[in-house]
Amino acid sequence: MVLKVFFPSCCSSADSGILVGRWLSEQSSAVVLAVVHFPFIPVQVKQYLGEVQRVTKVSLSVLGSWSNSKQEKEEGLSEFLEDLGTIFSHEPWIQIRKEGDSKFWSCSTLQKHSSSPKEEEVILVYYDQRKVMLSHLHPPLDTADGRAEDASKLCAIFDTVARSRVLFMTDRYDEGPIKLTHWQSEGVEASIIVELLKQASVPACMLLTFLLSLVSGICRSRVLKFWPLSFLWSKLSTCEQLGHRLQHLQVISSNKKAQTQTQLMRKANIFVSLLIDVALGILLMSWLYRKNRIGHLADTLIPVADHVAEELQDLLQWLMGAPAGLKMNRALDQVLGRFFLYHIHLWISYIHLMSPFIEMILWYVGLSACLGLTVALCILSDIIALLTFHIYCFYVYGARLYCLKIYGLSSLWRLFRGKKWNVLRQRVDSCSYDLDQLFIGTLLFTILLFLLPTTALYYLVFTLLRLLVVIVQGLIHLLVDLIDSLPLYSLILRLCRSYRLAAGVKFRVLEQQDGKPLRLLMQINPLSYGAVVQTYRLPTYSCYPKDSWASLCKKLFLGELIYPWKHKGEKQD
């Protein structure tokens, strides 16, 4: 049988002593956790291991001896190390020796209490104790039982290292009878700043939770459920983003401890996302309020709006003539053109009426950037929606008129074929029509058919303008969703400490020679960046319609309204 010994690489330069760890009999594996140095008293070692075992629920024992070649020459501990096997009586007794300056190690096993002792083939596997401890490849500590029966072979090894946290709390600065070497033997990893922040975060989170409960109570009040506040809250993307960030703040300030690694990573990703969002918003706000950039922006906004209105007027004048040499219905063309020109005139008057207050509005709107860059982008999207409201009205008018004619023509076409739409059964049935019905249907069909090109041209032009606005708003919301959903903390952790996001392990052969144990190096295989984004991606408040090109073309042909996005719980028209 092949014996596998998992040896921590941090103990390769330790002084001679005994190996402390866990023996997995069902796997014929020995997991070395630490090296106990000389001098020590065997009774105290057994008492210490018993205390650790009661706390960690891990059966720890003395697995064998570790001999450093330099110390062995000076002190001659080889015979004493072999005699320790009779004191601790572990089967098999593992002996690991470092052979001088050679890179080869010798690893042998002894079975003194066996009737037929024999040498077993040994595979020596090195592992980084720190990375194994922090990789979270082991089962959750609150759900793993003492034996880890459901764990796989490698998972049981990770579970052993993870649950032996108490053993790693003893370092060389502790004044005790036992001196250990492990991954924290030079001092427990800690930071005074981190510990102070942990202590200060408790009252800060309590205060933030109280304030957020007040804000969320106001948001859930009945006042906001009445029209028009409920309508504005559901349509303005700024309100949706503020509600989304409010939920994030409630998750961060919650007193409930994260139970799993996924919940912990979600909290960390939300915190880093909020921090970077607010930092970018403050940078944007500082840029806006320098050198009177808001005043220049307000002075530029009115001429741009006038220029857009003039271009729309020129476009309507072109449509009222002979666009691209097409012969339109002159009466309908003049009616539609004058109708839309009057709307543009109303829009220009409204813009000039608001021009004295635009700079003040932009000044107060710029202050909202301190809430985050995403809030500022959502406000920009709402401003674009308000400034292009006349284009949206043109699109709605053209779409409704075009849709009315399309459905009218389809209904009259069924009349020619002796069919009709059964509303109750939702199907097309046969029907007999008299001569007067066929005559009136023929007249209406002819009128709608000859008026369709004029209506279709207006609908096509305003649909293209609407799609241009939708694309701009879609790009803005795509950037907002990217900031909201991107797991920045996980990506930074993957870049700096990739072993914290482990997907598995891989083994690399260090040396293989006849008569020597096979030496392997166990390395942590991290998640790819795409897997990190897919696993720890945060949910967003908007969901884009996943229509196919065929469905989109069908909606455009039938004149159905198209929105750039729809919010959760909101049906698309």
Side-chain angles (χ1 to χ4, degrees), residues 407-423:
Y407 280 101
L409 288 173
S410 63
S411 178
L412 294 173
W413 177 251
R414 287 193 294 268
L415 183 142
F416 291 152
R417 297 183 298 147
K419 305 287 185 179
K420 74 171 184 179
W421 175 254
N422 193 330
V423 181

Side-chain angles (χ1 to χ4, degrees), residues 362-467:
L362 291 179
W363 194 89
Y364 285 107
V365 167
L367 293 177
S368 63
C370 63
L371 299 176
L373 180 62
T374 55
V375 177
L377 290 175
C378 289
I379 292 177
L380 176 61
S381 176
D382 292 336
I383 291 175
I384 292 176
L386 292 176
L387 292 179
T388 59
F389 184 71
H390 56 304
I391 297 178
Y392 176 73
C393 292
F394 295 164
Y395 167 70
V396 172
Y397 298 152
R400 291 305 185 190
L401 188 59
Y402 176 78
C403 182
L404 178 64
K405 291 189 176 182
I406 288 294
Y407 280 101
L409 288 173
S410 63
S411 178
L412 294 173
W413 177 251
R414 287 193 294 268
L415 183 142
F416 291 152
R417 297 183 298 147
K419 305 287 185 179
K420 74 171 184 179
W421 175 254
N422 193 330
V423 181
L424 296 178
R425 297 188 178 182
Q426 294 294 311
R427 68 182 185 183
V428 177
D429 294 335
S430 300
C431 181
S432 60
Y433 297 96
D434 55 17
L435 186 60
D436 294 338
Q437 290 176 333
L438 291 175
F439 178 72
I440 295 175
T442 304
L443 291 179
L444 292 177
F445 182 82
T446 305
I447 293 172
L448 292 178
L449 182 62
F450 283 103
L451 292 181
L452 181 63
T454 304
T455 307
L457 183 61
Y458 276 89
Y459 168 69
L460 177 63
V461 171
F462 294 134
T463 299
L464 294 178
L465 292 177
R466 175 60 182 166
L467 287 178

Side-chain angles (χ1 to χ4, degrees), residues 134-207:
L134 302 176
S135 61
H136 296 282
L137 283 174
H138 49 81
L141 297 180
D142 55 345
T143 59
D145 55 4
R147 295 175 294 176
E149 294 178 351
D150 298 333
S152 62
K153 295 182 179 181
L154 286 177
C155 196
I157 296 167
F158 280 83
D159 179 61
T160 300
V161 179
R163 289 161 57 191
S164 303
R165 188 184 300 269
V166 179
L167 182 67
F168 304 140
M169 295 301 174
T170 305
D171 53 32
R172 67 175 186 175
Y173 301 104
D174 293 333
E175 295 182 357
I178 299 176
K179 302 296 181 181
L180 300 175
T181 294
H182 46 75
W183 71 288
Q184 293 193 124
S185 56
E186 295 297 328
V188 179
E189 284 191 356
S191 174
I192 298 177
I193 299 178
V194 173
E195 295 299 327
L196 291 177
L197 289 177
K198 288 181 180 180
Q199 298 297 326
S201 64
V202 176
C205 287
M206 294 178 62
L207 178 61

Side-chain angles (χ1 to χ4, degrees), residues 127-327:
Y127 70 96
D128 193 326
Q129 210 167 44
R130 179 172 179 265
K131 293 181 179 181
V132 171
M133 184 73 187
L134 302 176
S135 61
H136 296 282
L137 283 174
H138 49 81
L141 297 180
D142 55 345
T143 59
D145 55 4
R147 295 175 294 176
E149 294 178 351
D150 298 333
S152 62
K153 295 182 179 181
L154 286 177
C155 196
I157 296 167
F158 280 83
D159 179 61
T160 300
V161 179
R163 289 161 57 191
S164 303
R165 188 184 300 269
V166 179
L167 182 67
F168 304 140
M169 295 301 174
T170 305
D171 53 32
R172 67 175 186 175
Y173 301 104
D174 293 333
E175 295 182 357
I178 299 176
K179 302 296 181 181
L180 300 175
T181 294
H182 46 75
W183 71 288
Q184 293 193 124
S185 56
E186 295 297 328
V188 179
E189 284 191 356
S191 174
I192 298 177
I193 299 178
V194 173
E195 295 299 327
L196 291 177
L197 289 177
K198 288 181 180 180
Q199 298 297 326
S201 64
V202 176
C205 287
M206 294 178 62
L207 178 61
L208 186 60
T209 304
F210 175 73
L211 295 177
L212 291 176
S213 62
L214 293 179
V215 175
S216 60
I218 295 174
C219 295
R220 289 193 298 266
S221 62
R222 294 184 178 180
V223 178
L224 297 178
K225 296 181 180 179
F226 293 108
W227 195 89
L229 293 179
S230 60
F231 177 79
L232 294 176
W233 185 268
S234 62
K235 296 301 179 182
L236 293 179
S237 57
T238 305
C239 298
E240 293 287 344
Q241 178 64 20
L242 289 175
H244 186 62
R245 285 307 189 192
L246 180 62
Q247 295 177 0
H248 282 177
L249 289 174
Q250 290 176 348
V251 171
I252 294 175
S253 59
S254 176
N255 295 328
K256 186 178 180 180
K257 186 178 179 181
Q259 301 295 328
T260 60
Q261 173 70 6
T262 304
Q263 295 179 0
L264 181 62
M265 294 296 293
R266 181 172 182 266
K267 280 191 173 184
N269 286 322
I270 291 175
F271 178 75
V272 174
S273 177
L274 280 172
L275 191 63
I276 294 179
D277 187 18
V278 173
L280 293 176
I282 293 175
L283 288 177
L284 176 62
M285 185 176 63
S286 63
W287 180 81
L288 286 175
Y289 287 94
R290 287 180 183 175
K291 301 180 181 180
N292 195 23
R293 287 190 174 93
I294 292 184
H296 297 312
L297 182 61
D299 295 338
T300 309
L301 191 60
I302 300 299
V304 170
D306 291 338
H307 179 70
V308 172
E310 291 176 0
E311 292 293 334
L312 286 176
Q313 287 178 346
D314 295 340
L315 179 62
L316 289 173
Q317 293 293 340
W318 178 71
L319 291 175
M320 292 171 66
L326 299 176
K327 184 174 178 59

